[in-house]
Amino acid sequence: MLTLLEQLDKGTQWRLTGGIHPPQMKHLSNSSPIGRLPLASEFLLPVPQVGDSAVLEVKVGDRVLKGQALTRGLSAMYLAVHAPTSGIIRAIEQRPSNHPSALPVLTCVLEADGQDQAIDFDQQDIAALSREQILGRIRQAGIAGLGGAMFPAHIKLNPASEIELLLINGVECEPYISADDRLMREHAREILDGIEIVHGLLNPKRVIIAIEDNKPEAIQAMQQALDSCHLPKGSIRITVIPTKYPSGGEKQLIQIITGQEVPSGAIPAQLGIVVHNVGTAFAIREAVCLGKPLIERVVTVTGGNIPKPGNYWVPLGTPIAHILEQSGFTASGQDTVIIGGPMMGYTLPLIKVPLLKGGNCVLVPSASEISPPAEEKACIRCGECAQVCPASLLPQQLYWHSKAEEYDKASAYNLRDCIECGCCSYVCPSDIPLVEYYRIAKAAIKHSHEEKQLAEQAKQRFDARLKRLEAEKLAREAKAKAAADKRRAAMGSGEKDAVAEAMARIKAKKAAEASVAATTNPIEKAADTADSAVIQPKADKRKSDVAAAIARAKAKKAAAQGTVPTKEVVDATTDNAAEGTTSGSDKKAQIAAAIARAKAKKAAAASGQTETDTGKTQDAQASSTQATADDNGGEQTQANEASQAVSNDSKQARIAAAVAKAKAKKAAAASESTPAADVDGGSAQGAENQVASQEEKQATSDDSKQARIAAAVARAKAKKAAAAEPVESPATYDNGVGSAQTAEVNQSSSQATKQAAGDDSKQARIAAAVARAKAKKAAAAEPVESPATYDNGVGAAQGAEVNQVASQAAKQAAGDDSKQARIAAAVAKAKAKKAAAASEQPQDNGAANTPVSAESRPPSESTTATEPTFPESTPPNDSKQARIARAVAKAKQKAKEKALSAQEKD
């Protein structure tokens, strides 16, 4: 079996699949030599690659010379654009393109100056140039495939695989076109020089020049040039092939010469074959040897409507309108202008478009040469299109899928292998423009593919950005770590010691705070032992405040009973206050000590007054009772003013304390109108009012928790005083003093309960101030009792009961929240009423010695004795409780005023 090379040497040919034999019509233009047309006044030079693979080298207003490059390439697919003549760049703007759609494309508008001044072309000896230099000159010249595909020639001349066969295409099978025919006739020697350059680049084993048998003159000219060429004998030959359309196609020519078919999606170089057009070989010789870029080409201007058909050297960028005008064509509205041949060409919608590198023919057929557009009819499934298809495709299936825009299915039928030769449309009896459908489908698929590529590129850029950001982040972290290590290495021992000392101080401070929090106050432990039920606070500061309050209460109790000397009471109270405030601040400790000393002095004065007031008369006691009642009204006014002052800030609290102190002095001065024995009591009471105002002033500076504790202790004192009142002498009750004091104690307990019902700290502070003031007043009234009364043992029993009530009240008051405070107030009030009811028994025993009966007692006493006991629970609505408490207080006040008016009448 012969090898491929042996078959090529014998001239063996293979039959082309499909194909047609349309009228040639080449005689219209091939009978005259190639001519030249006058230069146009304006040239349009499209630069579609600018922004993608090229950049502009000129700007508007620049003067350029013939052959000067207008763009500079940035990629391998770059095709250089040169000025076809000398002139000035008047504009760089969007102009209609040489395309069936006439879509605008970026265009340099060159205004020719008529001088046609060219640059100095760099001529070189081919033997002195290296392979890379030859490829570089071809690339810089902007040479593309002149057969119509316009593929960059420098890429085809630098294949990756080894080339065995070089085919030079001189077939030119398209009807009407004769550009290559005339070029081979007139420039055969230059074409062979170009073939020699290509042979030196590819180094193929065989070179075959293929020419159709309808070009005998071209075959003869090429054979004469071949005999004088410098290529090795036997490596190059001319092969004449039968005339058949489209035998000039790249894949179809390979099939005819070698019998091989290029696989779908492959290129001829993969088979070791490269195909170049004869016009491309001529342009390669011009670029390599003369240094002349591709700025002009041979164009066939033909057709029934062209008066002077022929072939012309036309500069690239020349408007088609100028070519037709110089060919004697007169435009009319019904003329059809086709770029290319009648089979593969396309109709121009505009003629003011430039000539491109692939434009080898401008055809203007007459009405007799071209039939009018026929109406498209339905496909009859005759199969003629499939029989003439040179690519062995199924045009009928491609048509259906393309028309339905099912481009994926059309691709499955190898739509991209269609060479758009037009054979199927030529033979279709239904006049279906099949090639137009295929072109639209190809454009849509190409657009979709480009969008996918752009999306993939965007994704790659995004991934690269993420990697870059991550790398920058790691670099910053590494840099920061290195800087920190450097600082630590450069740090001296003194700085390290300072840091260690600071850390040690912080740890020591935390340890000290923890030890203080764990320490238990001794006085608090003693109070817990005595009462065994006091609720312990949650914080050490709270414990110290409670301990101080309990110590003050015990000191006052001892002073009131007279069982402890004054000096010891003062010392004990001071010590207890000091111990109770050990965990607090110095300021609070000083305040607590001052308050304890003042209360101790008050208790001493009250115990000394007990003996002097024993023998007072009934009128004096009545007078004292009236003064006490008056004092109640004054003190109630002071309590109301104090409650308003507490709601303001600390400054308003100090002002209110000063006002209360002044009113207390005024009340003390008013009490001087009573008998001498009562004067002392009034003085003591004035002093007590002063102490109370001082306590109110200092109590406002404490927090709400301390106020609630103080309120509970004060209520306990008030209940203790109320329980001690029944041991007075019968004479005292004859004058109504016991009744008044009992009503006063009940009123104090009710008022304290009313004030404690509030949840917020403001109400708690007000209740504390009012309760303390009334407790001091009751304590001042205690010395009028008779010592003989305590001999019957009742006083001792009631004193024990008072102590028990105070202890229980203290336990109830130690609670944290406002609910416990309200419960404690209710319990204290109930027990106070119980003590008042128990005090009625001594009064009944002494009824024979006193003329006062139960009916003659003040209404306030009987009302208080018969009051129902409130349940020891917290009402659900605090605001409602407050309104009820206010109503009860008003009723009791009215009853008290009525009892006083009855006493005055008696």
Side-chain angles (χ1 to χ4, degrees):
M1 183 176 181
L2 298 176
T3 63
L4 176 61
L5 297 179
E6 293 174 348
Q7 291 177 349
L8 293 175
D9 294 338
K10 287 182 62 175
T12 306
Q13 298 182 13
W14 281 262
R15 181 177 178 272
L16 174 66
T17 302
I20 57 175
H21 294 85
Q24 295 298 306
M25 304 297 293
K26 293 181 182 290
H27 64 279
L28 296 175
S29 59
N30 64 358
S31 59
S32 61
I34 302 174
R36 283 191 177 270
L37 296 177
L39 292 176
S41 60
E42 184 181 75
F43 290 84
L44 305 176
L45 304 172
V47 285
Q49 292 183 326
V50 171
D52 182 17
S53 59
V55 292
L56 275 174
E57 291 288 301
V58 294
K59 59 182 181 296
V60 177
D62 289 352
R63 186 177 185 275
V64 296
L65 300 178
K66 180 180 180 180
Q68 180 178 342
L70 303 182
T71 60
R72 177 169 52 85
L74 300 177
S75 68
M77 295 296 294
Y78 162 71
L79 273 177
V81 178
H82 299 81
T85 186
S86 61
I88 298 175
I89 303 297
R90 289 301 183 188
I92 300 176
E93 60 188 10
Q94 299 286 333
R95 290 291 184 95
S97 62
N98 188 340
H99 190 269
S101 64
L103 291 174
V105 65
L106 185 64
T107 305
C108 291
V109 180
L110 174 63
E111 181 181 346
D113 56 8
Q115 299 179 9
D116 200 26
Q117 184 179 359
I119 63 173
D120 295 333
F121 299 120
D122 184 18
Q123 299 183 8
Q124 292 288 340
D125 185 6
I126 187 64
L129 296 176
S130 64
R131 184 175 186 275
E132 288 73 16
Q133 289 176 337
I134 295 174
L135 288 174
R137 292 174 73 89
I138 295 173
R139 182 175 185 270
Q140 292 173 3
I143 299 175
L146 299 184
M150 292 191 296
F151 191 81
H154 63 275
I155 296 178
K156 293 181 72 173
L157 293 174
N158 190 24
S161 58
E162 183 180 356
I163 302 301
E164 294 185 353
L165 177 62
L166 173 61
L167 283 177
I168 302 300
N169 188 354
V171 175
E172 197 174 41
C173 60
E174 182 88 10
Y176 285 93
I177 302 176
S178 60
D180 290 344
D181 183 13
R182 294 306 309 183
L183 186 64
M184 288 186 291
R185 292 183 191 183
E186 300 179 17
H187 299 281
R189 178 67 261 175
E190 290 82 357
I191 294 173
L192 263 297
D193 291 341
I195 293 173
E196 290 180 3
I197 295 173
V198 176
H199 183 275
L201 293 174
L202 298 176
N203 195 20
K205 296 179 180 180
R206 294 291 186 273
V207 177
I208 295 180
I209 302 173
I211 304 174
E212 266 188 337
D213 56 7
N214 61 354
K215 303 175 180 65
E217 295 86 355
I219 295 171
Q220 183 180 0
M222 291 298 295
Q223 188 64 50
Q224 292 176 357
L226 181 61
D227 294 338
S228 60
C229 73
H230 302 288
L231 291 176
K233 298 300 180 179
S235 63
I236 182 171
R237 64 186 303 269
I238 296 176
T239 300
V240 179
I241 64 174
T243 301
K244 190 178 184 180
Y245 181 84
S247 59
E250 183 181 56
K251 294 182 179 181
Q252 285 69 38
L253 183 59
I254 292 173
Q255 183 180 1
I256 294 172
I257 299 298
T258 66
Q260 298 180 359
E261 292 186 8
V262 180
S264 175
I267 58 176
Q270 295 176 351
L271 299 179
I273 303 173
V274 171
V275 180
H276 274 293
N277 185 266
V278 291
T280 306
F282 178 83
I284 290 174
R285 184 259 179 186
E286 295 285 307
V288 175
C289 297
L290 303 179
K292 185 180 179 180
L294 181 60
I295 55 177
E296 62 180 1
R297 67 158 299 155
V298 178
V299 178
T300 299
V301 180
T302 185
N305 286 339
I306 298 295
K308 297 185 296 183
N311 293 280
Y312 303 95
W313 285 103
V314 181
L316 300 179
T318 302
I320 301 298
H322 175 76
I323 297 174
L324 296 177
E325 181 182 354
Q326 296 300 322
S327 300
F329 171 73
T330 302
S332 64
Q334 303 298 326
D335 295 327
T336 301
V337 179
I338 300 173
I339 297 298
M343 300 300 294
M344 298 184 67
Y346 53 87
T347 303
L348 285 179
L350 300 172
I351 60 174
K352 291 185 178 181
V353 294
L355 176 69
L356 302 180
K357 294 180 180 181
N360 56 357
C361 180
V362 178
L363 175 62
V364 184
S366 63
S368 60
E369 294 175 320
I370 184 170
S371 61
E375 181 182 359
E376 178 182 342
K377 296 178 281 293
C379 175
I380 62 174
R381 295 176 176 84
C382 62
E384 290 291 332
C385 56
Q387 293 179 7
V388 299
C389 179
S392 300
L393 301 178
L394 297 176
Q396 183 181 0
Q397 301 294 330
L398 295 175
Y399 159 68
W400 288 337
H401 295 311
S402 298
K403 186 175 182 180
E405 298 184 357
E406 297 173 348
Y407 300 132
D408 53 343
K409 295 182 179 180
S411 298
Y413 281 93
N414 301 319
L415 175 63
R416 60 180 179 176
D417 291 336
C418 174
I419 63 173
E420 301 176 16
C421 63
C423 293
C424 53
S425 299
Y426 183 82
V427 301
C428 181
S430 298
D431 296 324
I432 300 174
L434 298 173
V435 177
E436 300 301 326
Y437 282 107
Y438 303 156
R439 286 174 178 170
I440 294 174
K442 282 184 176 182
I445 294 173
K446 181 180 178 181
H447 180 68
S448 176
H449 181 66
E450 290 176 352
E451 286 185 346
K452 291 180 180 179
Q453 284 185 337
L454 293 176
E456 183 63 25
Q457 292 174 1
K459 182 178 181 299
Q460 292 176 359
R461 290 195 302 269
F462 180 74
D463 295 340
R465 177 179 179 273
L466 291 181
K467 291 180 180 179
R468 176 175 55 81
L469 293 177
E470 184 66 21
E472 291 177 355
K473 179 181 177 182
L474 295 177
R476 288 194 301 269
E477 292 177 354
K479 185 177 180 180
K481 184 177 180 181
D485 294 339
K486 186 177 180 180
R487 287 195 299 269
R488 282 195 294 268
M491 185 183 294
S493 60
E495 296 178 354
K496 294 181 180 179
D497 295 340
V499 174
E501 290 176 0
M503 296 298 295
R505 286 196 298 271
I506 294 173
K507 291 181 180 180
K509 185 177 180 180
K510 291 182 178 180
E513 291 177 355
S515 62
V516 170
T519 305
T520 305
N521 197 302
I523 297 179
E524 184 181 357
K525 290 182 179 180
D528 291 341
T529 304
D531 297 331
S532 68
V534 178
I535 301 174
Q536 298 183 358
K538 297 180 180 179
D540 293 336
K541 184 176 181 299
R542 197 183 306 164
K543 293 180 180 179
S544 62
D545 296 338
V546 174
I550 293 175
R552 288 194 296 270
K554 290 184 178 182
K556 291 178 182 179
K557 174 183 175 182
Q561 291 179 354
T563 58
V564 181
T566 303
K567 182 178 180 181
E568 293 178 4
V569 170
V570 173
D571 293 340
T573 306
T574 305
D575 294 340
N576 290 334
E579 293 176 0
T581 58
T582 300
S583 62
S585 62
D586 295 338
K587 182 177 179 181
K588 291 184 178 181
Q590 293 172 1
I591 293 171
I595 293 174
R597 287 195 297 272
K599 291 183 179 180
K601 291 178 182 179
K602 179 195 71 175
S607 62
Q609 189 180 359
T610 304
E611 295 179 358
T612 58
D613 291 341
T614 304
K616 298 300 177 181
T617 59
Q618 181 177 357
D619 295 336
Q621 291 173 355
S623 220
S624 176
T625 302
Q626 183 66 28
T628 301
D630 294 338
D631 289 340
N632 279 335
E635 289 176 0
Q636 185 174 2
T637 303
Q638 294 176 6
N640 294 332
E641 293 177 358
S643 65
Q644 296 175 0
V646 171
S647 64
N648 297 327
D649 54 8
S650 58
K651 182 176 179 181
Q652 292 176 345
R654 291 195 295 270
I655 295 173
V659 173
K661 183 177 179 181
K663 290 186 178 181
K665 290 181 179 180
K666 180 178 179 181
S671 65
E672 292 179 357
S673 59
T674 58
D678 197 31
V679 170
D680 295 337
S683 298
Q685 188 173 4
E688 291 170 4
N689 291 334
Q690 183 175 0
V691 173
S693 65
Q694 293 177 357
E695 292 177 353
E696 291 173 4
K697 177 180 179 181
Q698 294 178 0
T700 57
S701 65
D702 294 336
D703 55 5
S704 60
K705 194 177 296 181
Q706 291 176 342
R708 291 196 296 270
I709 294 171
V713 174
R715 286 196 297 272
K717 292 179 182 179
K719 291 168 185 154
K720 177 193 72 175
E725 285 176 3
V727 299
E728 295 176 342
S729 62
T732 304
Y733 283 101
D734 293 341
N735 293 309
V737 177
S739 299
Q741 289 183 350
T742 302
E744 178 183 345
V745 170
N746 291 334
Q747 184 178 359
S748 299
S749 177
S750 175
Q751 185 68 18
T753 304
K754 173 184 175 181
Q755 298 293 341
D759 281 340
D760 53 6
S761 59
K762 177 179 176 181
Q763 291 178 346
R765 291 197 295 271
I766 294 172
V770 174
R772 282 199 298 273
K774 293 187 177 181
K776 293 182 182 74
K777 175 183 173 185
E782 286 175 4
V784 301
E785 297 175 1
S786 174
T789 308
Y790 289 97
D791 294 337
N792 56 8
V794 177
Q798 291 184 352
E801 182 179 356
V802 169
N803 292 336
Q804 182 179 2
V805 171
S807 176
Q808 293 178 356
K811 290 189 289 184
Q812 297 287 344
D816 225 4
D817 52 7
S818 59
K819 181 177 180 180
Q820 292 178 345
R822 292 195 299 271
I823 294 173
V827 172
K829 180 176 179 183
K831 292 187 177 181
K833 291 176 182 178
K834 180 179 178 182
S839 65
E840 294 179 359
Q841 295 178 0
Q843 295 177 8
D844 295 337
N845 292 334
N849 297 327
T850 178
V852 181
S853 62
E855 290 80 4
S856 64
R857 292 179 182 174
S860 60
E861 182 180 356
S862 62
T863 303
T864 304
T866 60
E867 260 183 18
T869 302
F870 289 94
E872 299 182 4
S873 61
T874 304
N877 193 339
D878 293 340
S879 59
K880 183 176 180 180
Q881 272 190 343
R883 291 195 298 270
I884 295 172
R886 285 196 295 270
V888 172
K890 288 180 181 179
K892 289 182 180 182
Q893 183 65 23
K894 290 180 182 180
K896 179 179 177 181
E897 291 176 357
K898 185 176 181 181
L900 292 175
S901 61
Q903 288 179 0
E904 290 177 357
K905 290 179 181 181
D906 294 337

